[in-house]
Amino acid sequence: MLKKTLLAATALLALAGGAAAQDIKEFRVGILGGENEADRLRNYSCLADHLKKEFGFEKVSLFPAADYDGVIQGLLGGTLDFAELGASGYAATYIKDPNAVTPILTTQQTDGSTGYYSIGLALKSSGIKTIADAKGKKLGYADPDSTSGYLVPLTQIPKTTGMPNDKFFASTQFNGGHENNLLAAYDGKVDVAVDDSSGLGDFKDGYTSGTFRKEVDKGAVDPNKLVEVWRSPLIPNGPLVVRNALGTEWQAKLTDFFMKLPTTDAKCFSAIEGGDFKGYVKVNPDFYKAVVEVRKAAIGG
């Protein structure tokens, strides 16, 4: 009898949770750091409009965090419902709480791949042509929770140089996101900046997507003054994640919504993703297992 009562109570709680998940008045979207706040809010405003219209939310709130950890903590603490994370940011979230969020989708490059690269950029006038030429120089990182802006160059550049970065370079520093990092190299504050990039298309366009592409499109940097001096192995594209407390029904609804977005509003899709992509493809936690393990070994949660 007690067992039946407990099972009934569990079923009622599940139903209550499902009902609560259906009644979301405010949907809260976290936006990673990496660009200035005004640009991020402008790029995401179309998404907020679509979400409100599609699901009838009374309010869609956009939260452009100052750094990656702001979004991670928002998801962990339940103050954010959705975000697009980098692979390392997802790994940090997973390490702290494997049940906090579920990755539902990732972007697909124009060639059909679901990966991108960390690239090292330097001023052409610096004379640096390869990462080996940067020995004793300054290396700029983006953010401690960035995949291409920290985790991958931290672990992969030494495979080329044969030395840990803090030994090979005269100094390393964080510059507060990808945009600031690239501009630090462009302005000569660091000698090499690591950046996210599709690595596809023409260098003169900033490739097809990534921060380099965004800055070229905005006219903030002249690609003719820069040179690529290092490229990582392929990195899994970061996931769109949904807070698990919303339930599987919302995960399915949001998956369907975003899968259609490149067709329903290609301009909005391009704005939020920053460049040319083919669309989204479904992923699950297994897609990021290797990144989780690398993060655990290199820097922890």
Side-chain angles (χ1 to χ4, degrees):
M1 180 66 181
L2 178 61
K3 184 178 180 181
K4 288 182 178 179
T5 303
L6 288 172
L7 287 172
T10 302
L12 285 171
L13 284 171
L15 287 171
Q22 293 300 312
D23 188 26
I24 300 174
K25 297 186 184 301
E26 180 184 6
F27 190 72
R28 302 160 300 177
V29 178
I31 309 174
L32 291 181
E35 282 186 282
N36 68 73
E37 185 172 312
D39 284 343
R40 285 182 283 161
L41 287 173
R42 181 172 58 252
N43 290 337
Y44 269 75
S45 63
C46 61
L47 178 63
D49 292 340
H50 280 303
L51 287 167
K52 192 172 181 179
K53 181 179 179 181
E54 177 75 14
F55 298 113
F57 299 130
E58 292 181 7
K59 184 179 182 182
V60 174
S61 298
L62 303 177
F63 293 95
D67 56 23
Y68 286 35
D69 191 55
V71 172
I72 293 168
Q73 295 306 320
L75 292 166
L76 289 168
T79 58
L80 294 175
D81 301 308
F82 169 87
E84 183 170 6
L85 298 173
S88 183
Y90 168 71
T93 308
Y94 181 88
I95 291 167
K96 291 183 174 73
D97 183 356
N99 299 311
V101 301
T102 292
I104 56 170
L105 298 167
T106 193
T107 47
Q108 188 175 39
Q109 308 290 5
T110 54
D111 69 344
S113 68
T114 52
Y116 70 113
Y117 300 92
S118 173
I119 61 173
L121 294 170
L123 284 172
K124 195 175 288 185
S125 61
S126 70
I128 300 171
K129 295 180 180 179
T130 70
I131 200 68
D133 298 331
K135 187 174 184 179
K137 305 291 186 179
K138 293 181 181 179
L139 174 67
Y141 292 128
D143 183 284
D145 290 306
S146 171
T147 315
S148 58
Y150 182 52
L151 178 63
V152 169
L154 176 72
T155 58
Q156 299 304 309
I157 287 177
K159 293 183 178 182
T160 301
T161 63
M163 298 173 65
N165 288 350
D166 60 356
K167 303 294 184 185
F168 182 78
F169 298 98
S171 63
T172 63
Q173 65 187 60
F174 289 104
N175 288 309
H178 282 278
E179 180 178 46
N180 288 342
N181 194 37
L182 177 53
L183 293 178
Y186 197 70
D187 294 337
K189 296 175 182 177
V190 297
D191 298 292
V192 177
V194 284
D195 181 30
D196 58 305
S197 177
S198 68
L200 301 172
D202 292 328
F203 184 86
K204 64 179 177 59
D205 297 324
Y207 294 122
T208 59
S209 64
T211 302
F212 181 30
R213 172 61 181 263
K214 290 178 183 178
E215 299 307 298
V216 170
D217 285 348
K218 289 195 293 187
V221 301
D222 178 357
N224 295 308
K225 294 183 178 180
L226 293 166
V227 61
E228 180 182 328
V229 300
W230 175 78
R231 182 178 292 204
S232 74
L234 194 67
I235 306 165
N237 286 344
L240 279 63
V241 302
V242 180
R243 189 166 60 92
N244 281 344
L246 269 62
T248 56
E249 187 173 345
W250 272 108
Q251 291 173 14
K253 286 181 177 181
L254 290 164
T255 297
D256 183 63
F257 166 82
F258 277 99
M259 286 290 286
K260 293 175 180 175
L261 184 63
T263 301
T264 56
D265 192 341
K267 186 177 180 181
C268 183
F269 170 64
S270 180
I272 62 175
E273 294 302 346
D276 297 329
F277 289 91
K278 191 173 182 178
Y280 293 111
V281 293
K282 294 179 181 180
V283 291
N284 59 42
D286 289 345
F287 189 69
Y288 298 100
K289 271 186 176 179
V291 179
V292 170
E293 293 308 314
V294 170
R295 168 124 191 171
K296 279 181 181 177
I299 56 179

